[in-house]
Amino acid sequence: GDSVTQMEGPVTLSEEAFLTINCTYTATGYPSLFWYVQYPGEGLQLLLKATKADDKGSNKGFEATYRKETTSFHLEKGSVQVSDSAVYFCALSANTGFQKLVFGTGTRLLVSP
Amino acid sequence: DSGVTQTPKHLITATGQRVTLRCSPRSGDLSVYWYQQSLDQGLQFLIQYYNGEERAKGNILERFSAQQFPDLHSELNLSSLELGDSALYFCASSAQGEGIYEQYFGPGTRLTVT
């Protein structure tokens, strides 16, 4: 079945450092890809998405590019802030039929001042 | 605020008991999804309803059931509870059922089974 693999956390960075969180997927066909963020005590919020190969999703300084050849959707940000500390989930869904999200295990990001 | 509400926020109950979790989707959304987040299983899709009908099923135990009512709110019923059912249960809603529509998540219900 479909699956998503994320890098283990926690990722610990200093403020203004560059962030990369790796995500690879296994799926039949061509899924849509998502990054969700979960702040402490809250539900998940969609951060960005890409629905086809070579699409780049971006939001709030975060970016991820849908790479079909490497089945990857790595999350990047040029300069992290303390407020970016959260758990980040990579997810996929099929592009046809009824959408259900398949999530990775999540990566905790800790940013210190 | 996503517009999706879930009650209660926290629930503590004993093994063998039955509980009901409630979800109200965003105004106008027809599709409701339930997910379970636990330490050992991560975030897993349980079940989806669209306009009152069950449309997709994931790793949902037979002890669990759900329904969506005519006003589109949904309830997840968990019975014969076990310690391993302790988890955060999320509800999400989207405008439609098929295709690529953003899912908006509620704040979750934290269930603790003692």
Side-chain angles (χ1 to χ4, degrees), chain B residues 65-87:
Chain B
S65 64
Q67 53 184 329
Q68 185 179 28
F69 294 86
D71 67 351
L72 300 177
H73 91 271
S74 177
E75 293 181 357
L76 180 66
N77 300 296
L78 315 176
S79 62
S80 302
L81 285 167
E82 301 175 0
L83 295 178
D85 298 327
S86 296

Side-chain angles (χ1 to χ4, degrees), chain A residues 32 38 46 95 97-99 101, chain B residues 33 35 55 97 99-102:
Chain A
S32 289
Q38 184 178 27
L46 179 65
N95 273 336
F98 284 90
Q99 186 189 51
L101 290 166
Chain B
Y33 309 76
Y35 293 86
R55 287 307 179 103
I100 307 161
Y101 293 91
E102 179 175 344

Side-chain angles (χ1 to χ4, degrees), chain B residues 5-20:
Chain B
T5 60
Q6 290 187 248
T7 56
K9 199 171 177 66
H10 301 279
L11 201 47
I12 301 173
T13 189
T15 53
Q17 295 298 304
R18 172 188 170 95
V19 297
T20 298

Side-chain angles (χ1 to χ4, degrees), chain A residues 85-108:
Chain A
S85 297
V87 180
Y88 292 81
F89 292 90
C90 185
L92 65 80
S93 73
N95 273 336
T96 59
F98 284 90
Q99 186 189 51
K100 68 170 188 182
L101 290 166
V102 176
F103 286 93
T105 52
T107 302
R108 182 175 299 279

Side-chain angles (χ1 to χ4, degrees), chain B residues 29-44:
Chain B
D29 282 359
L30 298 177
S31 201
V32 170
Y33 309 76
W34 286 97
Y35 293 86
Q36 179 194 58
Q37 184 179 31
S38 62
L39 283 175
D40 53 345
Q41 299 286 337
L43 254 170
Q44 289 201 81

